[in-house]
Amino acid sequence: MTGSTTSTLTIGQAVETLLRDGMPVRFRAYDGSVAGPPDAELGLELRTPRGLSYLLTAPGDLGMARAYVSGDLVVHGVHPGAPYAVMRLLQNHLRFRKPTPGELVTLVRGLGLGHLKPPPPPPQEHLPRWRRAVEGLRHSLTRDAEVISHHYDVSNAFYRHVLGPSMAYTCAVYPDADASLEEAQAEKFDLVCRKLDLRPGQRLLDVGCGWGGMVRHAAREYGVKALGVTLSREQASWAKEAIDRDGLGDLAEVRHSDYREVLETDFDAVSSIGLLEHVGVRNYPAYFSFLRERLRPEGRLLNHCITRHDNAVTETGAFIDRYVFPDGELTGSGTIIATAQDAGLEVVHEENLRRHYAMTLRDWCANLVEHWDECVAEVGEGTARVWGLYMAGSRLGFERNEIQLHQVLAVRTGEDGSDGLPLRPTW
């Protein structure tokens, strides 16, 4: 970099200064400056000074998300409901280098000190962790209810557009590469039923039941009496209507409740599909102990959740924590299995469905693109942008093996060691 520390610096020059290998897409800023190849198919446009302030005051994914969600940073060449292609290109080729102290001073002065005053974040952003801590103990009943409502009580119509008729907001299981999303979601629920060996007349508890897909599938296809619980009022309302519409009221029930408030015991099976991500790693022992106590001897538990590729405990990144899953934590399948065993459960099988979740997210993004206008009308463009960004980024995470999806099957073994299992898996 040349010039005095008081000279004006264009945004395009600043970008080129900090990149090791050059900008892989065409970049254009509101000051008229550009960077990157002029013939690139994909492009980024920084439209406003506020967008620059977001990028400078919250470096990394949070600043980018704020600028993108607010419409100050626009992606060209991809649909806002599925920015996967540009995110993949940037992750593969966008490498920043650390500036020297002198260069940093030049950058800040050249771009203008006024940009270092943080603008108010977009309205879709949740409180930071320290503010949530002030307002309630992490993973208390009250705080968990609040953060679940933040994500799930958006709009049932919006979720219907994105998730499809199944209203299943968890990893699907694709029986083959050409299977539709609906076929894959039905296969997921059926796989869980088969692993739990559900039979007519048995009792199933589904914790974190969402819109009741597992509850209704188990009742309809296997004749079990199924109870589901969810912290989302919108989910519970939708699920109750679906149960009545399907004529399953004598077998299926969904409650607006925390799973820790379920008093019944002696269930033949417990399914937990996408709940553990919200529990908190420190609460795993209490979680597995509680579910074990809900089971009869020889009863089975199927836990289905997102995991890390290793067993480190990692809080979600700033974007995910503020915009998608407040208070979310992930760790590896080894930690989950060990904690289940320490709680007195016998783990009998585990399976990694990582690639299936990447395919699921691909199909959700396609639904968001197809129904973009309806989704924007339902929740606003900013929230729709959040979902496109989060699902495309998550798809990349699963494809790159940064995150995984594990199903862990366990049994409450009887005092005499009986487990009720066949010699070989039947599913």
Side-chain angles (χ1 to χ4, degrees):
M1 185 189 306
T2 61
S4 69
T5 58
T6 59
S7 63
T8 300
L9 189 70
T10 70
I11 300 171
Q13 289 171 330
V15 168
E16 289 182 326
T17 297
L18 294 176
L19 290 175
R20 291 179 178 175
D21 306 316
M23 173 63 77
V25 299
R26 186 63 168 173
F27 174 82
R28 183 177 299 276
Y30 62 88
D31 64 354
S33 61
V34 295
D39 59 346
E41 295 183 2
L42 302 175
L44 295 174
E45 181 184 356
L46 185 62
R47 288 184 167 178
T48 67
R50 182 179 65 177
L52 178 59
S53 295
Y54 279 141
L55 298 178
L56 292 178
T57 57
D61 64 343
L62 183 59
M64 292 279 287
R66 286 173 172 171
Y68 181 75
V69 170
S70 64
D72 299 324
L73 179 66
V74 176
V75 178
H76 296 291
V78 297
H79 193 282
Y84 169 80
V86 71
M87 293 179 71
R88 183 182 182 192
L89 183 63
L90 292 176
Q91 282 201 11
N92 285 339
H93 300 289
L94 191 64
R95 297 179 180 87
F96 287 95
R97 66 178 182 83
K98 185 176 181 180
T100 66
E103 288 176 330
L104 188 59
V105 170
T106 302
L107 286 168
V108 172
R109 288 182 176 176
L111 292 174
L113 294 174
H115 293 299
L116 295 183
K117 181 181 179 181
Q124 293 81 10
E125 185 170 316
H126 200 60
L127 294 173
R129 288 190 180 98
W130 70 269
R131 284 283 302 279
R132 297 199 297 268
V134 170
E135 298 188 1
L137 184 66
R138 189 172 192 176
H139 296 301
S140 65
L141 296 181
T142 301
R143 184 163 158 182
D144 276 355
E146 178 186 342
V147 297
I148 291 297
S149 178
H150 171 81
H151 185 70
Y152 293 100
D153 291 341
V154 176
S155 159
N156 284 334
F158 171 79
Y159 278 106
R160 172 64 176 78
H161 290 311
V162 174
L163 304 181
S166 71
M167 290 293 278
Y169 186 33
T170 48
C171 175
V173 176
Y174 289 76
D176 57 69
D178 297 324
S180 69
L181 176 62
E182 285 306 301
E183 291 170 337
Q185 291 292 10
E187 173 62 19
K188 182 265 303 295
F189 288 132
D190 207 71
L191 176 63
V192 174
C193 290
R194 298 196 305 269
K195 286 183 175 180
L196 292 173
D197 194 26
L198 296 182
R199 301 174 187 177
Q202 290 185 330
R203 297 171 63 234
L204 167 72
L205 171 63
D206 185 41
V207 295
C209 68
W211 289 271
M214 177 63 190
V215 168
R216 288 183 292 122
H217 186 95
R220 182 178 60 249
E221 303 298 331
Y222 288 83
V224 303
K225 191 171 181 61
L227 168 63
V229 291
T230 173
L231 273 175
S232 167
R233 189 179 302 276
E234 290 292 321
Q235 287 181 336
S237 175
W238 192 96
K240 290 174 183 177
E241 292 178 3
I243 288 170
D244 291 340
R245 185 173 61 249
D246 293 349
L248 297 171
D250 59 330
L251 290 175
E253 177 189 356
V254 167
R255 297 176 187 167
H256 176 225
S257 169
D258 192 289
Y259 78 92
R260 290 165 287 191
E261 297 173 331
V262 174
L263 302 179
E264 294 94 327
T265 59
D266 292 323
F267 287 95
D268 298 283
V270 173
S271 54
S272 177
I273 306 174
L275 172 63
L276 194 61
E277 298 92 331
H278 303 288
V279 167
V281 177
R282 289 184 179 180
N283 296 318
Y284 282 10
Y287 163 86
F288 280 111
S289 294
F290 183 88
L291 295 186
R292 180 185 181 277
E293 293 306 312
R294 307 275 80 71
L295 288 167
R296 65 164 176 80
E298 298 186 6
R300 300 186 190 185
L301 164 66
L302 190 287
N303 191 90
H304 167 123
C305 72
I306 300 170
T307 66
R308 283 179 51 83
H309 64 281
D310 57 29
N311 286 287
V313 178
T314 303
E315 293 183 328
T316 55
F319 165 65
I320 296 294
D321 182 68
R322 300 280 191 96
Y323 286 87
V324 187
F325 291 117
D327 291 345
E329 286 182 324
L330 296 179
T331 188
S333 58
T335 301
I336 293 169
I337 290 172
T339 310
Q341 291 171 330
D342 290 345
L345 290 161
E346 181 183 6
V347 174
V348 294
H349 186 268
E350 80 88 31
E351 181 177 8
N352 184 3
L353 298 169
R354 172 177 67 85
R355 292 188 296 166
H356 291 262
Y357 217 153
M359 297 167 69
T360 305
L361 287 155
R362 174 202 64 193
D363 290 347
W364 286 343
C365 280
N367 283 345
L368 179 58
V369 170
E370 181 180 354
H371 300 287
W372 180 256
D373 291 342
E374 299 97 318
C375 288
V376 169
E378 191 68 29
V379 300
E381 185 168 356
T383 298
R385 283 174 172 267
V386 167
W387 279 78
L389 191 64
Y390 134 66
M391 292 193 297
S394 297
R395 175 185 173 185
L396 279 169
F398 283 105
E399 288 179 346
R400 293 169 178 267
N401 193 29
E402 295 167 358
I403 44 178
Q404 302 175 349
L405 188 290
H406 282 263
Q407 287 190 349
V408 174
L409 179 65
V411 62
R412 178 176 178 172
T413 308
E415 292 184 1
D416 60 354
S418 60
D419 56 21
L421 296 166
L423 288 177
R424 297 296 301 155
T426 58
W427 55 85

